[in-house]
Amino acid sequence: CVHGALQQLASSPSLFSAAQIFHHPELRLRPRFLNDSLRFYGARPTTLSGNESQDLQRINAWVREASKGLLPTLLPTLPPQPSLLLLSAVHLRAAWRTPLDPEKTTLLPFLRPGHPPREVPTMTSTKYPVASFTDSRLQVQVGRLELSGGLSLVVLLPLGPLRALKTLERALDPPNFLALLRRAAHTPPRATTLALPRMNLDLALDVVALVHDMDFGLFLDAELCGLAEGP
């Protein structure tokens, strides 16, 4: 059950996850959908007022309260005339299991395909514990760095020229990706020379366009249809 797997992942103390449902007052949601949403995600439906400014404030107040201030806002604007908003927010804050020395952060060139290199703050260590191996078939070096809460950061470094990145991305279908992660999980760490750019990842993703491109049969097969009663 994918919902159970997500529940187990969200139980990590380093990971915050919350979901909520906002809907038009005339939309009648099916009890089964509501029961599953409450059981797996603690999501209770909230009726939209029709006042765009007020509804936007309620949505952002919800995520701010649910995340205890980690996420001050979720949506900058509302879509026009929304009937159903299925919202989820995820926040990861995990410390290194073996802290890196801040004094060893230095500016090093970061390579960007199609652009000149750019110097960025880079964390360095000459003996950092990394579980690493090379996959000769995919032409990639894999490194796993341990984080707190039983989590890990897995880095994939293509071998060869910069254009090898696109080749690797095309080859990372689910079986290949899962095989790399499983091998990384079972590879013991050893002292390694490490240079890792400092990163700040902040992504807001609107999945409406992605859902439109999906095969509708996927939803039927997964019994994810029938969110609401009526046409």
Side-chain angles (χ1 to χ4, degrees), residues 2 41 70 125 128 183 189-190 215:
V2 64
Y41 301 102
L70 289 174
S125 175
Y128 195 83
R183 184 176 174 186
R190 62 177 184 270
D215 179 4

Side-chain angles (χ1 to χ4, degrees), residues 78-212:
L78 284 183
Q81 299 179 336
S83 294
L84 179 67
L85 297 175
L86 304 178
L87 303 176
S88 61
V90 178
H91 184 279
L92 173 66
R93 177 178 288 171
W96 298 109
R97 184 172 180 180
T98 302
L100 285 141
D101 186 352
E103 294 185 359
K104 293 184 179 179
T105 296
T106 183
L107 290 176
L108 291 176
F110 182 81
L111 302 182
R112 302 178 296 163
H115 300 276
R118 179 177 178 180
E119 289 195 339
V120 299
T122 304
M123 302 174 286
T124 64
S125 175
T126 56
K127 294 182 179 180
Y128 195 83
V130 181
S132 63
F133 62 90
T134 299
D135 189 300
S136 57
R137 184 175 64 86
L138 295 178
Q139 286 295 292
V140 61
Q141 186 176 12
V142 181
R144 178 176 63 85
L145 291 77
E146 296 181 327
L147 305 174
S148 61
L151 301 176
S152 296
L153 172 66
V154 178
V155 180
L156 306 182
L157 183 64
L159 302 176
L162 287 179
R163 62 178 178 272
L165 178 60
K166 290 186 177 180
T167 303
L168 174 61
E169 289 175 340
R170 288 193 295 266
L172 283 180
D173 55 22
N176 281 327
F177 190 51
L178 185 59
L180 288 179
L181 293 181
R182 284 176 172 165
R183 184 176 174 186
H186 291 91
T187 300
R190 62 177 184 270
T192 306
T193 299
L194 175 71
L196 186 68
R198 290 181 57 182
M199 294 175 289
N200 180 21
L201 304 179
D202 191 346
L203 174 67
L205 180 63
D206 185 349
V207 300
V208 172
L210 299 178
V211 172
H212 281 180

Side-chain angles (χ1 to χ4, degrees), residues 1-142:
C1 172
V2 64
H3 304 286
L6 289 172
Q7 268 189 325
Q8 184 178 3
L9 177 63
S11 65
S12 168
S14 302
L15 185 67
F16 158 78
S17 175
Q20 185 56 292
I21 305 166
F22 293 86
H23 66 95
H24 191 277
E26 295 181 2
L27 189 66
R28 299 290 178 259
L29 300 175
R30 289 187 180 276
R32 176 184 173 186
F33 170 71
L34 293 177
N35 291 337
D36 285 347
S37 298
L38 180 61
R39 172 187 172 194
F40 290 111
Y41 301 102
R44 300 179 182 272
T46 300
T47 304
L48 294 168
S49 67
N51 183 310
E52 181 176 341
S53 177
Q54 180 180 332
D55 289 333
L56 186 62
Q57 288 181 8
R58 291 173 66 193
I59 289 171
N60 288 326
W62 159 74
V63 74
R64 188 163 51 249
E65 180 179 353
S67 68
K68 298 180 180 178
L70 289 174
L71 299 170
T73 184
L74 182 63
L75 294 181
T77 59
L78 284 183
Q81 299 179 336
S83 294
L84 179 67
L85 297 175
L86 304 178
L87 303 176
S88 61
V90 178
H91 184 279
L92 173 66
R93 177 178 288 171
W96 298 109
R97 184 172 180 180
T98 302
L100 285 141
D101 186 352
E103 294 185 359
K104 293 184 179 179
T105 296
T106 183
L107 290 176
L108 291 176
F110 182 81
L111 302 182
R112 302 178 296 163
H115 300 276
R118 179 177 178 180
E119 289 195 339
V120 299
T122 304
M123 302 174 286
T124 64
S125 175
T126 56
K127 294 182 179 180
Y128 195 83
V130 181
S132 63
F133 62 90
T134 299
D135 189 300
S136 57
R137 184 175 64 86
L138 295 178
Q139 286 295 292
V140 61
Q141 186 176 12
V142 181

